[in-house]
Amino acid sequence: MKAIEKLEKQFQKLASYEHLAAICGWDQAAMMPSGGNEARSHAMSDLAVLCHETLTDPNMSTWIKEAERDTETLTDEQVINLREIKRVWTQATQLPSELVEKKSLIGSKCEHEWRSQRTNNDWNGFAENLKKVVEAAREEANTRAGLTGMRPYDAMLDLYEPGMTTEKLDVLFGELKTWLPALIQQVLDKQSSVKLNEPNGPFETDKQAALGKQMMQILGFDFNHGRLDVSTHPFCGGVPTDVRITTRYDEQDFTSALMGVVHETGHARYEQGLPKAYHGFPAGEARSMGIHESQSLFFEMQMGRNPLFVDHLAKLSAEAFNKQDDAAFSRENINALYQRVRPGYIRVDADEVTYPAHIILRFEIERDLVEGKIEVEDIPTLWNEKMQEYLGLTTDGEYTNGCMQDIHWTDGSFGYFPSYTLGAMYAAQFMAAMRKTVDVDACIEALDFAPISAWLEANIWSKGSTLTTDELVIQATGEPLNPEYFKQHLIDRYLNN
Amino acid sequence: MKAIEKLEKQFQKLASYEHLAAICGWDQAAMMPSGGNEARSHAMSDLAVLCHETLTDPNMSTWIKEAERDTETLTDEQVINLREIKRVWTQATQLPSELVEKKSLIGSKCEHEWRSQRTNNDWNGFAENLKKVVEAAREEANTRAGLTGMRPYDAMLDLYEPGMTTEKLDVLFGELKTWLPALIQQVLDKQSSVKLNEPNGPFETDKQAALGKQMMQILGFDFNHGRLDVSTHPFCGGVPTDVRITTRYDEQDFTSALMGVVHETGHARYEQGLPKAYHGFPAGEARSMGIHESQSLFFEMQMGRNPLFVDHLAKLSAEAFNKQDDAAFSRENINALYQRVRPGYIRVDADEVTYPAHIILRFEIERDLVEGKIEVEDIPTLWNEKMQEYLGLTTDGEYTNGCMQDIHWTDGSFGYFPSYTLGAMYAAQFMAAMRKTVDVDACIEALDFAPISAWLEANIWSKGSTLTTDELVIQATGEPLNPEYFKQHLIDRYLNN
């Protein structure tokens, strides 16, 4: 067997194990009774070890070297596969196993205790664990940086957003910061006179679920290869041939779950549209967290909150809840609800305009934390200062809804946050490019998403990780990431409407 | 690390992998959209290989030998664990891997094609595949027999019912055959004047599910460690800390799903009650298929069809479907429905009295098939003859509802069928023993299952596989398996009532 075939066989086995991890992870969040958690966590942890062992098999290094030596005998697909195989293998083997284990233990403890500490606004308790997490993260970042010549924070970014650097983010987010606070203020002024009519519940869970599924159907979700269920924290999981998305229902407010379903459907269609020829291989996976988020935000923000789409959504919701004569279900009112901008404490509840402020704040703090320029003790003050500067809100003494609100840092996932705003930027740029060849508004008005899907499938989904992010964006839009599209999108939607 | 500890560590890893297989298997049957099947089957197959590799790890033989040498240093629990570890390891290593692979390929093909062949009554097509399955099964049985000194069919029985032999079954079932056909006729005569009133549907699935869950609650199912869902073929799966049972609903008939839930709840409580100290080890698993079935049949037949229980069931059903004034929901009528005896073609639809006839027929055929005394071509004729002899029905030219109705033989699971009737016999014997110290009827009348559960938990569930089947039955009832209890149970319920 040729070395490339040995590699492919090993990765098919890894894909099988990861398939089981994905389904059991979904089950844990969406189906499992709580009494099953201890044994499940144990089984999942054993599976994670197995996946790591499979990826870092002692033979991998030889196989990769041999395959690289024989490049001229490989097909084009195999060359691409080899590049991505080497990338994930390199990342997986950079850390000594003692550090991997230490990180995992410290992270599990911090995350576990964070759940109650957050509820109790217990910063001191949390900080004690977080210090150890940060220490391990610095060790990780420095180790990865030492082996690659990257900056420490770049080495972390590379895990989620290959090719992205601190330098680029400093420019992108630095520029954003120059206009965002003023834009937020302008939008708030403009919206101050808007009168909102909150729809009155209760909205039965069953009906919300049926409406969500109707929306997924309209948006082209393939129910032969996926499901919608319920979990405390909505997510998109499963495997490309069986994508599992979740939402949570609030009987007093259907709007949030409904738009959440549109968001997850974006993630899901990306997964369902990944290149089948590469299924099970790194080259067949989603390109990056930022590109993944670009698809969910394309669905939620670029399409889903387009007033022409919200018109349909208002009509379908009124039908679903039998509220055709309720003024709260008018197109105007539902549109106003879905375009409401309100600075708030909680990132996951933020609207499209204020969301980047939450991300820039986190980026600036985690960048300096990983590179040792600030310490855990500095976080609350910085959080408060930046919240005031970007959103005009104070978080003095408030940790639950301040620097303790997110799960990401608890297990050391530093470098992840920027993906959210990169995703918003990519989504705006994809939409601008798509509009050159697709009459997007006419499609949305006619609820005909085939041309939109076809563009995304051809330019994004079917590419998997066969291109670098830069290549992907340039091939799809004619230029590298350009944040102007996002700025123009916000101005058009929130000021020029 | 001591050898026993190495063994225990290896088995904990195996338990984790089997945990994931159980959950993903449940998902495949109860949740997965059909488009996910190909990738899932591939992943499950890779996991099965991994489980087999883990169980047959080259070090196991040394570890077992070392642990056996150091027996005096082991705790009592470890001695028991070692015995069961050796048992499952021995069974797993008896077959050369080429035979395991051949069996798996032939079995998958036969089972897969059987699904359409059965629908088309295509005996010739099926027989062609079955011949290969039988050939491989004979090779398996002979290989296992050669290594253990057992009879070939005994070696197969031992996989499902350790300690059971053809000789014992010939006696047990031979005796049963002497009185069963006459008893069936007497019951039919007795019931010929009973007028039945079929409840009129539709019975909404949601209401049936709620009623099923109410019944599970009454029967002590722990919903913190399990769930009820829907699948085409009802089963009990998952793991002891998270037991997944399923049923299927017929909107025209609620009685079948409801009693099916009672049956699966019996399996589930056994799993939930297995000894926690041994969780993840062979000694902590259910003793045998027959003992497992004894628990489901204890719930379904011994308790569930006890007229005092059916009285409750009639009342709760009438409430659930708002049919309090419907004569079809009277205690008398629901009791008559649940005690109706009707010889039929289909084993899984059979009542308590005719069921053993289906099993004896299959036992006699598969015993001779495995030991080469008959051939696949002989099956239809034998099936027809035995159906006539035991149940007075002819299956000439009828394969779909004759010898092609079951999945068991398609993948070579010869030796499994006897468990069903052994389970019925054990259940009757357990009930007779329980009645010596528990006022079972008073408990059922009061819907107080705690004393019944306590007996089962103390005598069966908490024993796991720490005792042999014979030891278990003798400790619980004072004697080895005695089929008289089953005979007496049928006479009391169906003739002396």
Side-chain angles (χ1 to χ4, degrees):
Chain A
M1 202 186 283
K2 287 168 65 182
I4 187 71
E5 288 160 359
K6 290 180 190 159
L7 285 169
E8 288 171 346
K9 204 174 156 206
Q10 186 77 356
F11 270 83
Q12 285 293 2
K13 209 157 74 171
L14 179 60
S16 283
Y17 301 156
E18 286 174 343
H19 178 137
L20 303 165
I23 296 301
C24 287
W26 165 85
D27 182 274
Q28 194 167 20
M31 294 287 152
M32 187 189 72
S34 65
N37 195 54
E38 195 182 328
R40 177 68 57 84
S41 299
H42 193 87
M44 297 285 282
S45 158
D46 280 348
L47 183 62
V49 169
L50 176 75
C51 287
H52 187 73
E53 285 171 0
T54 307
L55 180 53
T56 61
D57 186 286
N59 289 308
M60 288 284 289
S61 161
T62 317
W63 293 338
I64 289 175
K65 273 197 207 107
E66 277 180 35
E68 282 183 326
R69 210 184 45 212
D70 302 340
T71 309
E72 70 284 354
T73 70
L74 303 183
T75 64
D76 291 352
E77 285 75 19
Q78 286 176 328
V79 170
I80 290 168
N81 232 352
L82 180 58
R83 182 197 71 205
E84 290 299 313
I85 283 174
K86 188 178 182 185
R87 193 180 68 76
V88 300
W89 172 80
T90 303
Q91 284 180 343
T93 48
Q94 280 171 345
L95 303 186
S97 56
E98 308 80 56
L99 179 55
V100 172
E101 200 182 334
K102 185 168 81 176
K103 239 194 89 181
S104 162
L105 287 172
I106 290 172
S108 294
K109 182 171 187 286
C110 184
E111 181 189 322
H112 179 75
E113 297 185 2
W114 162 75
R115 292 180 192 277
S116 51
Q117 286 162 344
R118 189 194 166 199
T119 312
N120 301 323
N121 203 39
D122 175 14
W123 166 253
N124 289 334
F126 178 60
E128 203 175 307
N129 286 331
L130 187 60
K131 274 180 213 165
K132 290 176 192 149
V133 171
V134 167
E135 199 183 309
R138 285 173 180 168
E139 199 177 333
E140 174 178 0
N142 288 328
T143 306
R144 292 189 188 279
L147 292 166
T148 54
M150 293 179 181
R151 266 178 73 158
Y153 185 67
D154 285 3
M156 299 301 285
L157 277 175
D158 207 58
L159 299 173
Y160 308 103
E161 206 56 40
M164 185 47 64
T165 65
T166 318
E167 201 181 344
K168 287 190 207 169
L169 282 180
D170 282 339
V171 174
L172 285 167
F173 290 174
E175 206 268 333
L176 219 166
K177 259 169 67 172
T178 62
W179 52 263
L180 188 67
L183 178 79
I184 293 172
Q185 199 48 57
Q186 283 175 282
V187 176
L188 289 176
D189 292 344
K190 187 165 189 295
Q191 293 193 351
S192 63
S193 60
V194 175
K195 274 208 178 134
L196 285 175
N197 197 348
E198 298 278 354
N200 271 323
F203 303 105
E204 284 170 46
T205 297
D206 284 0
K207 288 183 182 165
Q208 289 195 52
L211 178 61
K213 283 177 189 167
Q214 185 184 11
M215 199 52 70
M216 289 163 73
Q217 200 97 51
I218 289 171
L219 294 170
F221 182 93
D222 178 357
F223 280 96
N224 192 36
H225 291 99
R227 297 175 49 100
L228 169 68
D229 293 278
V230 175
S231 71
T232 315
H233 303 285
F235 66 95
C236 171
V239 293
T241 51
D242 184 3
V243 179
R244 307 287 173 96
I245 70 173
T246 69
T247 187
R248 61 181 160 207
Y249 300 108
D250 176 349
E251 294 227 324
Q252 298 312 313
D253 171 26
F254 70 90
T255 60
S256 165
L258 185 54
M259 199 52 91
V261 167
V262 173
H263 179 97
E264 300 303 336
T265 301
H267 282 307
R269 292 219 59 190
Y270 186 13
E271 289 287 319
Q272 289 180 336
L274 287 169
K276 290 188 182 44
Y278 288 102
H279 269 188
F281 296 120
E285 290 175 12
R287 177 63 276 182
S288 73
M289 291 299 134
I291 297 297
H292 226 311
E293 197 67 13
S294 81
Q295 296 310 291
S296 55
L297 292 177
F298 190 95
F299 273 61
E300 178 187 351
M301 300 301 179
Q302 297 295 329
M303 294 202 301
R305 291 182 200 251
N306 178 321
L308 295 167
F309 185 86
V310 177
D311 286 351
H312 290 295
L313 202 147
K315 186 164 165 285
L316 294 170
S317 307
E319 284 167 8
F321 303 114
N322 204 16
K323 301 265 191 184
Q324 288 93 335
D325 303 325
D326 187 333
F329 283 78
S330 72
R331 297 169 164 205
E332 295 71 24
N333 190 57
I334 299 288
N335 258 298
L337 282 168
Y338 275 127
Q339 293 202 358
R340 171 166 42 180
V341 172
R342 277 189 305 194
Y345 294 103
I346 304 296
R347 175 183 60 82
V348 296
D349 293 338
D351 55 77
E352 187 180 18
V353 182
T354 59
Y355 202 104
H358 293 274
I359 295 306
I360 295 172
L361 173 158
R362 285 158 176 77
F363 158 69
E364 291 173 338
I365 292 177
E366 70 174 22
R367 174 195 61 197
D368 292 350
L369 202 55
V370 166
E371 300 197 338
K373 289 169 194 150
I374 60 170
E375 295 301 329
V376 167
E377 289 83 354
D378 304 322
I379 296 175
T381 309
L382 286 167
W383 198 281
N384 187 29
E385 284 172 12
K386 288 173 192 290
M387 280 298 281
Q388 290 192 27
E389 186 185 342
Y390 306 156
L391 290 173
L393 296 170
T394 180
T395 58
D396 199 16
E398 169 63 47
Y399 307 104
T400 302
N401 297 314
C403 59
M404 283 174 72
Q405 69 184 271
D406 295 306
I407 197 173
H408 304 60
W409 290 348
T410 66
D411 75 343
S413 298
F414 298 103
Y416 189 111
F417 278 125
S419 317
Y420 294 106
T421 291
L422 289 171
M425 290 174 169
Y426 287 129
Q429 185 165 339
F430 292 150
M431 180 56 101
M434 186 189 290
R435 283 188 187 279
K436 291 177 200 161
T437 54
V438 178
D439 188 343
V440 174
D441 288 336
C443 289
I444 293 178
E445 203 163 2
L447 279 186
D448 171 18
F449 290 95
I452 296 173
S453 294
W455 193 97
L456 292 171
E457 179 141 40
N459 288 286
I460 317 292
W461 306 341
S462 69
K463 302 298 183 190
S465 285
T466 61
L467 306 174
T468 66
T469 310
D470 268 356
E471 287 167 354
L472 179 82
V473 176
I474 292 170
Q475 285 192 17
T477 71
E479 58 183 314
L481 178 60
N482 178 348
E484 272 305 304
Y485 294 103
F486 179 58
K487 181 179 180 183
Q488 198 53 50
H489 161 69
L490 294 183
I491 292 171
D492 286 347
R493 176 168 292 172
Y494 294 93
L495 294 179
N496 294 347
N497 64 347
Chain B
M1 203 186 284
K2 287 169 63 182
I4 187 72
E5 288 160 358
K6 289 180 192 158
L7 285 170
E8 288 171 346
K9 206 175 154 206
Q10 186 77 357
F11 269 83
Q12 285 294 2
K13 211 158 74 171
L14 178 60
S16 284
Y17 302 156
E18 286 175 344
H19 178 137
L20 303 164
I23 296 301
C24 287
W26 166 86
D27 182 274
Q28 194 168 20
M31 294 287 151
M32 187 188 74
S34 65
N37 195 54
E38 194 181 329
R40 176 68 57 84
S41 298
H42 193 88
M44 296 285 282
S45 157
D46 280 348
L47 184 63
V49 170
L50 175 75
C51 287
H52 187 73
E53 285 171 359
T54 307
L55 179 54
T56 60
D57 185 286
N59 290 308
M60 288 284 288
S61 162
T62 317
W63 293 337
I64 290 175
K65 275 196 206 107
E66 277 180 37
E68 283 183 327
R69 210 184 46 211
D70 302 341
T71 309
E72 71 284 355
T73 71
L74 303 183
T75 64
D76 290 353
E77 286 75 20
Q78 287 175 327
V79 170
I80 290 167
N81 231 353
L82 180 57
R83 181 196 71 203
E84 289 299 313
I85 282 174
K86 189 177 180 184
R87 192 180 67 78
V88 299
W89 172 80
T90 303
Q91 283 181 344
T93 48
Q94 279 170 345
L95 304 185
S97 56
E98 307 80 58
L99 177 55
V100 173
E101 200 182 333
K102 184 169 81 177
K103 238 194 89 182
S104 162
L105 286 172
I106 290 172
S108 294
K109 181 170 188 286
C110 183
E111 181 190 322
H112 179 75
E113 296 185 4
W114 162 75
R115 292 180 192 278
S116 51
Q117 286 162 344
R118 189 194 167 199
T119 312
N120 301 324
N121 202 39
D122 175 14
W123 166 251
N124 290 334
F126 178 61
E128 202 174 310
N129 286 331
L130 187 61
K131 275 180 212 165
K132 291 177 192 147
V133 171
V134 169
E135 199 183 312
R138 286 172 179 167
E139 199 177 334
E140 174 179 2
N142 288 329
T143 306
R144 294 189 188 279
L147 292 166
T148 54
M150 293 178 181
R151 263 179 73 161
Y153 185 67
D154 285 4
M156 299 301 284
L157 277 175
D158 206 58
L159 299 173
Y160 308 103
E161 207 57 39
M164 186 47 64
T165 64
T166 317
E167 202 182 343
K168 288 190 206 169
L169 282 180
D170 282 339
V171 174
L172 284 167
F173 291 175
E175 206 270 333
L176 219 165
K177 258 170 66 173
T178 63
W179 52 263
L180 189 66
L183 178 80
I184 293 171
Q185 199 48 57
Q186 283 175 281
V187 177
L188 289 177
D189 293 345
K190 187 167 190 294
Q191 292 193 352
S192 63
S193 59
V194 175
K195 274 208 176 137
L196 284 175
N197 197 348
E198 298 278 356
N200 271 323
F203 303 105
E204 284 171 42
T205 297
D206 284 359
K207 288 184 183 166
Q208 289 195 52
L211 178 61
K213 284 177 188 166
Q214 186 184 9
M215 199 54 68
M216 289 163 72
Q217 200 97 50
I218 289 171
L219 293 171
F221 182 92
D222 178 357
F223 280 97
N224 192 36
H225 291 99
R227 298 175 48 101
L228 169 67
D229 294 278
V230 176
S231 71
T232 314
H233 302 286
F235 66 95
C236 171
V239 293
T241 52
D242 185 4
V243 179
R244 308 288 174 95
I245 68 174
T246 67
T247 187
R248 60 179 161 207
Y249 300 108
D250 175 349
E251 295 229 324
Q252 297 313 312
D253 171 26
F254 70 91
T255 61
S256 165
L258 185 54
M259 200 51 92
V261 167
V262 173
H263 179 97
E264 299 303 337
T265 300
H267 282 307
R269 291 219 59 191
Y270 185 16
E271 289 287 320
Q272 290 180 337
L274 288 169
K276 291 189 180 43
Y278 289 102
H279 269 187
F281 296 121
E285 290 175 14
R287 178 61 277 183
S288 73
M289 290 299 133
I291 296 297
H292 225 311
E293 196 67 13
S294 81
Q295 297 309 292
S296 56
L297 292 177
F298 189 96
F299 273 62
E300 179 187 352
M301 301 301 180
Q302 297 296 327
M303 294 202 302
R305 291 181 201 249
N306 179 321
L308 295 167
F309 185 86
V310 177
D311 286 352
H312 290 295
L313 203 146
K315 188 163 163 283
L316 294 170
S317 307
E319 284 167 9
F321 303 115
N322 204 15
K323 301 265 191 182
Q324 288 93 336
D325 303 325
D326 187 333
F329 283 78
S330 72
R331 296 167 165 207
E332 295 71 24
N333 189 58
I334 300 287
N335 259 298
L337 282 168
Y338 275 127
Q339 293 202 358
R340 170 167 41 179
V341 172
R342 277 190 304 192
Y345 293 102
I346 305 295
R347 175 184 60 83
V348 296
D349 293 338
D351 55 78
E352 187 179 16
V353 182
T354 57
Y355 202 105
H358 293 274
I359 295 305
I360 296 173
L361 174 157
R362 285 158 176 77
F363 158 70
E364 291 173 339
I365 292 177
E366 69 174 21
R367 175 196 61 198
D368 292 349
L369 202 53
V370 165
E371 300 196 338
K373 290 169 194 147
I374 60 168
E375 295 300 330
V376 167
E377 289 82 354
D378 304 322
I379 297 176
T381 308
L382 286 167
W383 198 280
N384 187 30
E385 284 172 12
K386 289 173 191 291
M387 280 298 282
Q388 290 193 28
E389 185 185 343
Y390 307 154
L391 290 173
L393 296 171
T394 180
T395 58
D396 198 19
E398 170 63 48
Y399 307 104
T400 302
N401 297 314
C403 60
M404 283 174 72
Q405 69 184 269
D406 295 305
I407 196 172
H408 304 59
W409 289 347
T410 67
D411 75 343
S413 297
F414 298 103
Y416 190 110
F417 279 124
S419 317
Y420 294 107
T421 291
L422 289 170
M425 291 174 169
Y426 286 128
Q429 185 164 340
F430 293 149
M431 179 55 101
M434 186 188 292
R435 285 187 186 278
K436 292 177 198 161
T437 55
V438 178
D439 188 345
V440 174
D441 288 337
C443 289
I444 293 177
E445 203 163 4
L447 278 186
D448 172 18
F449 289 96
I452 296 173
S453 294
W455 192 97
L456 291 171
E457 178 141 41
N459 289 286
I460 317 291
W461 306 341
S462 69
K463 302 299 183 190
S465 286
T466 61
L467 306 174
T468 66
T469 310
D470 268 357
E471 287 167 356
L472 179 83
V473 176
I474 292 169
Q475 285 192 19
T477 71
E479 59 183 314
L481 178 59
N482 178 348
E484 272 304 305
Y485 294 103
F486 178 59
K487 181 180 181 185
Q488 198 55 49
H489 160 71
L490 294 183
I491 292 170
D492 286 346
R493 177 167 291 170
Y494 295 92
L495 294 179
N496 294 347
N497 63 349

